[in-house]
Amino acid sequence: MGTRTSPTSAEQGVTTGRRTLMLALATLGFAVNFWAWALLSPLGPLFKDSLGLSAFQQALLVAVPVVVGSVGRIPVGALTDRFGGRVMFPLVSVVTIVPVLFIGWWGHSSLAALLVGGFFLGVGGTAFAVGVPFVNAWFPPRRRGLAIGVFGAGMGGTAISALTTVPLVDAAGTSTPFVVTAVVLAVYAVVAFLVLRDAPGRVVPAESLGRRLADTLRLPVTWHASALYAVAFGGYVAFSVYLPAYLKTAYGLTQSDAANRMAGFVLLAVVMRPLGGWLSDRFGPVRVLALALGVVTAGAILQAFTPPLMPLGTIAFLSMAAALGAGSGAVFALVALLAPANRVGSVTGVVGAAGGLGGFVPPLVMGALYGAVSSYALGLAALAAVACAATLFTATVVRRSVRRR
């Protein structure tokens, strides 16, 4: 059960320009918060050298914000269903400023302090669960795949981090990228508070938070989309946080070169995410997901043999980036297609958590395996097996769910 914030006639009067503005502000908020969320990843090799970290400790450092940001999406998504994006976007942005400044000013001198700061930095990763229900409410069903795909391009905030963090540290010291990010977060929070508005006719659930989460967990789409997003977005997150360390170790690249190549990976995935949503509107999310996951399978098999970086390794990574981006967009086209309107935030929270957790495990596995056998081959082979299983799951179980709707 739920109530509407205003009559259906108000919905009909919404202009394209108004929708576009809300989508742009939501995407900007996602990007800014993801920029903050990913600050530790480009500095992983630096902290490894300065603090004498093991491969596993380095992987843990960059993975902690991922898991907190992922689990935090569950309550934040449910709270967004209740209070709306106008409240939650500024709130998440302001809260994220605190760990950003803590790490920049005091928390980068020890592993323990970095882990504490990284834990709370995970709040920035919950912005995703704010934006999906916010955007979903603004757009009609036939346009939601593309709209949510465009919003999902805000994950390019990790590319901003990759491109700017190391140069800012080299130019002006370790605290500089954190201070810059905190200022940008503060400016966005003010703009969002003044300009963002929730969609006319937004469905506001009347049940308690616990009841809504329990009902959400009973929906098949919650579990189907969670499994697929754990592979698609989880793979993207895993590469975006661990790729610099992988490239530096496996191919002997410099820290700056590895960060730049990671940024290229991220940018391609970002570009492909709206395309995945658009293609899902045109051809259905099942077809897009099956194709994308098949490409990931092939790319991971190729990279498991650690081929020369030019051209085979680059082809493998860029193919996987494009497929993971398109697949991530297709998952939320599936959510928009199957989830009840007043459950989109709650479903998004659970699915987003699964995606983030999917990104938490691989860096730890890769770090542990490399520490044990000095090879990344087993980790990439495991990715190939998981992606292959997800392809078969999409083509069978998920396809049947869509046909039954």
Side-chain angles (χ1 to χ4, degrees):
M1 295 294 293
T3 59
R4 286 184 174 270
T5 58
S6 58
T8 304
S9 59
E11 280 183 80
Q12 296 171 343
V14 173
T15 65
T16 299
R18 186 73 165 165
R19 287 192 178 107
T20 302
L21 175 61
M22 294 300 107
L23 175 58
L25 286 173
T27 304
L28 178 62
F30 182 25
V32 168
N33 278 278
F34 253 43
W35 175 6
W37 191 43
L39 280 170
L40 292 181
S41 175
L43 298 177
L46 173 66
F47 291 136
K48 179 182 180 181
D49 294 339
S50 64
L51 300 177
L53 305 181
S54 66
F56 180 79
Q57 287 174 324
Q58 180 186 356
L60 180 64
L61 173 63
V62 299
V64 163
V66 174
V67 70
V68 175
S70 304
V71 175
R73 290 173 191 171
I74 298 175
V76 168
L79 289 170
T80 302
D81 277 341
R82 177 65 181 85
F83 296 106
R86 187 192 179 193
V87 171
M88 296 302 295
F89 258 126
L91 180 61
V92 167
S93 301
V94 168
V95 171
T96 303
I97 291 172
V98 177
V100 168
L101 291 179
F102 169 78
I103 296 172
W105 284 340
W106 304 289
H108 57 267
S109 58
S110 71
L111 176 60
L114 282 170
L115 290 175
V116 171
F119 181 91
F120 291 99
L121 192 63
V123 172
T126 67
F128 178 75
V130 178
V132 170
F134 177 82
V135 171
N136 188 79
W138 270 104
F139 286 83
R142 69 184 182 279
R143 297 175 59 193
R144 284 175 183 162
L146 176 59
I148 294 174
V150 170
F151 166 75
M155 68 187 188
T158 55
I160 299 174
S161 179
L163 291 170
T164 63
T165 302
V166 174
L168 285 172
V169 168
D170 291 341
T174 304
S175 64
T176 305
F178 296 92
V179 173
V180 170
T181 306
V183 171
V184 175
L185 282 166
V187 171
Y188 174 77
V190 172
V191 172
F193 180 76
L194 295 175
V195 181
L196 275 185
R197 295 293 183 272
D198 291 308
R202 182 179 72 88
V203 179
V204 180
E207 303 97 330
S208 67
L209 175 62
R211 174 67 180 274
R212 277 183 283 138
L213 288 175
D215 290 344
T216 298
L217 294 176
R218 295 189 185 100
L219 296 172
V221 65
T222 302
W223 296 104
H224 295 170
S226 293
L228 296 173
Y229 204 57
V231 179
F233 186 71
Y236 161 80
V237 171
F239 280 121
S240 68
V241 300
Y242 199 68
L243 196 54
Y246 173 88
L247 292 173
K248 185 178 179 182
T249 303
Y251 291 102
L253 301 186
T254 65
Q255 178 179 320
S256 177
D257 191 10
N260 288 337
R261 290 174 186 270
M262 185 271 274
F265 180 98
V266 168
L267 286 173
L268 180 56
V270 167
V271 170
M272 289 300 297
R273 184 157 182 158
L275 182 59
W278 178 77
L279 289 171
S280 296
D281 285 342
R282 291 286 304 275
F283 304 108
V286 170
R287 291 180 181 177
V288 177
L289 276 164
L291 177 60
L293 291 166
V295 171
V296 173
T297 302
I301 291 172
L302 174 59
Q303 193 55 38
F305 294 96
T306 317
L309 189 57
M310 293 296 294
L312 291 180
T314 299
I315 291 172
F317 278 120
L318 292 183
S319 297
M320 287 191 287
L324 292 169
S328 296
V331 169
F332 279 94
L334 183 70
V335 171
L337 183 68
L338 299 180
N342 64 339
R343 291 278 184 271
V344 172
S346 298
V347 173
T348 296
V350 177
V351 174
L357 290 173
F360 173 73
V361 176
L364 296 180
V365 172
M366 296 285 276
L369 285 174
Y370 187 84
V373 300
S374 299
S375 173
Y376 291 115
L378 290 177
L380 287 159
L383 172 61
V386 171
C388 182
T391 304
L392 296 175
F393 177 73
T394 301
T396 55
V397 176
V398 178
R399 185 183 298 275
R400 286 194 296 268
S401 294
V402 171
R403 287 176 175 172
R404 286 197 301 265
R405 73 179 179 89

